[in-house]
Every structure is written in C-alpha cells, then in structure tokens.
Amino acid sequence: KNICEYNDLVDLADEDYLNFWGNLAREKLDWFKEFDKILDDSNAPFYKWFIGGKLNVSYQCIDRHLKKHKNKVAIIFEGALGDKNAITYRELYYEVNRCSNLLAKKFDIKKGDRVVIYMPMIVQTVYMLLACARIGAIHSVVFGGFSAEALKDRVIDAKAKLVITADGAYRRGTPYMLKSVVDEALNDGCEFVESVLIVERNKEPIDYVKGRDYIYDELIKSQSPVFEPQRMDSEDPLFLLYTSGSTGKPKGVQHSSAGYILWALMTMEWVFDIKDNDTYWCSADVGWITGHTYSIYG
C-alpha cells in the first residue's frame, strides 16, 4: 500500500509539479494571506515560491496546535546531569512569547536583524530560535563546540546585532564554558554586536562586560506571555546557517520561510512517517541543519 501511495505521489508531481506543491502549501501551511502565484522562475536560478503569501513559521510550529493540543507535551528534555522537563504546547507558546518580548523590547530586535545563537542543547535554545522566527529576525546558530575564531567569523559575516549564549554547559557530566569563548570572539572587530544575552545553565563564575552583557534568567521573569507573530513574506529569510569551514571560509546558506517549512513538514511526514501520537528523538545538535529541521521546525 505504501509503495502504491508513493508511486501515486511521484506521478502527481511529474504530471503537474506546480499544482502538486501549490496544493500541499495550501493544505499543510497556515497562511495569514494565501499566495497569489506558486512559482516565479523568471530570474533562474533565483526561484521564488508562493509569491504574495504571508505566514509566520513560529505560528506554524506552535499556535496552530493550541486549539487541539495545548496540554500535549511538545518537548521532552533530558539533561546531561539527569535533569528532566516536559514542556506542553501552551507552555512553549508562553515561553517563546516571553523571549520574543525580551528580544524586541529590551534589545530592539526587529524584522531582518541578525541574531547569533551559541548555545548548548537546552530548551531555551528552542525558545530563542522560535522567538527570532516570531519577530522576523534572522537567526544564525553556531555549534556550541566551535572555537572563538570560528564563532567570530560567523558573527562578523552575519553582522549580528545580538549574541545569545549560556554561561556554560555539560558534556558527559563535565562542565565546560561558553561565555568565555564569546568574550574572546568579540574582543576585536565585532563592534556591531550591541549586546550579549546569557542563559544560566551550569552556574560557573563568568566575567561580565558592563553595558553589554545581560542575564536571561533575571530579565525573562517580567516579560509578557503575549506576542503577536510578524506577518512574513513567503520569501523572507528565516535563518542563516554556515558551512563548517573545513575547505575555506565558512559560507552562509540562507533559508527562506514558506518553502523551507513546507519541505521540513513534508519530509517529517513522508520520510519519517511521524504520526500524532509518536514520540520522536533526533540525535543532531541544533547547530546543524538536521537539528534545525528535525528537532524544531519539522
């Protein structure tokens, strides 16, 4: 049966690929305004999909689930020290909204601003990515194991306004530091970085730069849990993700909103066969594209 369904999909796509993807976009995505045209291929290879459509990827990931699944667990977290937490869709909604208000009101993050995220695998990392998407800011996640030099290259290339990090994290139960790496990365040539936001994870002593460094855990308590998502164009950038740089200078790959989220959703459905009652686990760090697509957005 599954092979027959797959062959039917292939036939549909071959016969009329424009309406194949157009119909999926209408069926699977929640639009604030539906697109006027499926594809603009007039400036190949710079193709544009779902022209005129308005949506928000964080809405797609959170808000649309609230009517039926607000009390359902969205994220199961298990830390390196055995600490555990389960976050429902309603809790995720509130936390992402608080982070959105924090970024927008305290740090003046707006649509199109770039935010570099240098974080361990904790739930606040998910909140920050989705908050950027909600605001319309462009996030660029840097793997938490990268050096100060590698972080600096990516901060400079993205011209990030804000860097979000943690004091440190744990690997195999042993603490390691992140904030000190950020300090080293920003010591020269990163004057456009206005602020550094720090999540307290392992509570090791860290140095603070007055006027630049802020503690997330202190600021987040006063933030409102209500934040309206920005209406984003289908082709508006969602995030930047850099290559490893193993063959030269890291190259930033920009992912747009509608096409990316549709493909992420459909591969979760077609390739992984995810059902509503499944629990799904991904081994990839959020610093890689697999972590973006199959730990958060898909």
Side-chain angles (χ1 to χ4, degrees):
K1 180 184 177 184
N2 288 337
I3 292 173
C4 292
E5 290 175 351
Y6 171 77
N7 288 334
D8 289 342
L9 280 173
V10 171
D11 290 342
L12 278 172
D14 282 343
E15 289 167 10
D16 186 357
Y17 77 94
L18 281 182
N19 280 315
F20 176 81
W21 288 110
N23 291 335
L24 282 173
R26 294 185 187 96
E27 175 189 350
K28 299 294 185 178
L29 301 185
D30 285 51
W31 297 93
F32 299 144
K33 174 186 175 295
E34 192 172 300
F35 49 92
D36 305 310
K37 185 178 180 180
I38 299 170
L39 173 66
D40 178 357
D41 58 358
S42 61
N43 188 28
F46 303 103
Y47 300 101
K48 295 183 178 181
W49 285 89
F50 313 122
I51 309 305
K54 302 290 182 182
L55 78 171
N56 185 281
V57 170
S58 82
Y59 186 98
Q60 181 71 23
C61 293
I62 307 170
D63 303 54
R64 71 188 184 98
H65 297 295
L66 295 178
K67 286 184 180 179
K68 294 183 179 180
H69 300 304
K70 64 182 179 181
N71 294 319
K72 182 180 178 180
V73 170
I75 299 171
I76 300 169
F77 170 77
E78 295 195 20
L81 299 182
D83 48 329
K84 299 180 181 181
N85 195 9
I87 297 97
T88 66
Y89 278 102
R90 178 162 55 181
E91 291 169 324
L92 181 62
Y93 172 77
Y94 290 150
E95 293 301 329
V96 170
N97 283 342
R98 288 189 180 98
C99 285
S100 300
N101 278 306
L102 175 60
L103 299 188
K105 294 177 180 178
K106 177 65 178 178
F107 301 105
D108 192 33
I109 298 299
K110 304 180 292 295
K111 179 181 177 180
D113 286 339
R114 274 82 66 199
V115 176
V116 163
I117 298 174
Y118 183 66
M119 293 276 283
M121 291 289 284
I122 55 178
V123 292
Q124 288 85 355
T125 305
V126 179
Y127 302 161
M128 295 301 180
L129 268 70
L130 290 170
C132 287
R134 203 162 186 84
I135 294 168
I138 302 165
H139 64 70
S140 180
V141 181
V142 179
F143 170 52
F146 273 172
S147 67
E149 183 179 357
L151 173 61
K152 183 174 186 172
D153 286 344
R154 290 156 175 79
V155 169
I156 290 174
D157 194 79
K159 291 184 170 54
K161 183 176 180 179
L162 172 68
V163 174
I164 303 174
T165 189
D167 51 1
Y170 295 93
R171 186 172 286 125
R172 297 178 181 174
T174 302
Y176 67 96
M177 302 306 292
L178 290 171
K179 173 58 165 58
S180 57
V181 179
V182 172
D183 290 340
E184 183 181 347
L186 301 185
N187 65 5
D188 182 45
C190 298
E191 293 78 11
F192 41 79
V193 175
E194 297 177 4
S195 306
V196 174
L197 181 60
I198 307 148
V199 177
E200 293 180 326
R201 171 58 177 157
N202 64 8
K203 297 179 171 53
E204 295 281 323
I206 57 175
D207 294 327
Y208 294 92
V209 177
K210 187 175 181 180
R212 188 198 72 179
D213 295 351
Y214 298 86
I215 300 298
Y216 161 89
D217 307 70
E218 297 171 359
L219 296 175
I220 198 66
K221 297 173 185 176
S222 60
Q223 302 304 316
S224 167
V226 177
F227 189 96
E228 284 299 313
Q230 177 74 245
R231 292 166 66 93
M232 303 294 289
D233 187 82
S234 296
E235 282 290 320
D236 278 336
L238 176 63
F239 62 85
L240 289 169
L241 191 60
Y242 286 83
T243 60
S244 64
S246 56
T247 57
K249 183 181 177 182
K251 300 167 186 67
V253 180
Q254 178 178 292
H255 294 257
S256 58
S257 296
Y260 169 77
I261 194 62
L262 179 61
W263 182 246
L265 178 62
M266 297 321 302
T267 50
M268 288 292 288
E269 183 175 317
W270 290 337
V271 180
F272 299 136
D273 194 29
I274 296 299
K275 299 292 192 296
D276 190 52
N277 60 346
D278 287 336
T279 299
Y280 170 78
W281 178 76
C282 177
S283 63
D285 189 280
V286 73
W288 310 119
I289 187 61
T290 315
H292 283 56
T293 306
Y294 301 123
S295 289
I296 299 176
Y297 288 118

